[in-house]
Amino acid sequence: MNQTDLICPICSQTLSLRIAKGRKSNKPFIMLKCAADPRHFRAFVGDRTYITQVLDQLEAKTKPDKTSQP
Ligand SMILES: [Zn+2]
């Protein structure tokens, strides 16, 4: 499953997704930006449910899972 289906309205590249943390609040948020040129498109997601979901997905991806190894 793709993390995001969002594409840049300028160049139609898939937007890159990053987890960032607020400097003051220290709360995680999601930053979306065009992979080709961040000036094309940049967006921030502050919805906690979505952020938790994405974080879980990233963790599942990076965590070595012995059971699912071929
Ligand atoms: Zn672009």
Side-chain angles (χ1 to χ4, degrees):
M1 199 186 105
N2 248 349
Q3 276 169 17
T4 171
D5 301 311
L6 297 169
I7 55 159
C8 174
I10 312 260
C11 65
S12 298
Q13 289 252 8
T14 311
L15 298 177
S16 69
L17 190 150
R18 267 188 198 194
I19 313 287
K21 260 187 186 177
R23 279 183 197 164
K24 282 182 188 171
S25 58
N26 212 33
K27 281 177 190 164
F29 63 91
I30 286 165
M31 193 172 84
L32 292 161
K33 65 175 185 185
C34 173
D37 192 332
R39 286 172 297 181
H40 289 177
F41 189 88
R42 230 183 298 183
F44 299 95
V45 180
D47 187 275
R48 259 203 207 171
T49 314
Y50 180 73
I51 292 168
T52 311
Q53 210 176 300
V54 173
L55 281 170
D56 282 353
Q57 270 180 37
L58 285 177
E59 245 175 58
K61 233 189 203 178
T62 49
K63 205 186 283 175
D65 196 312
K66 285 170 190 167
T67 53
S68 69
Q69 289 288 325

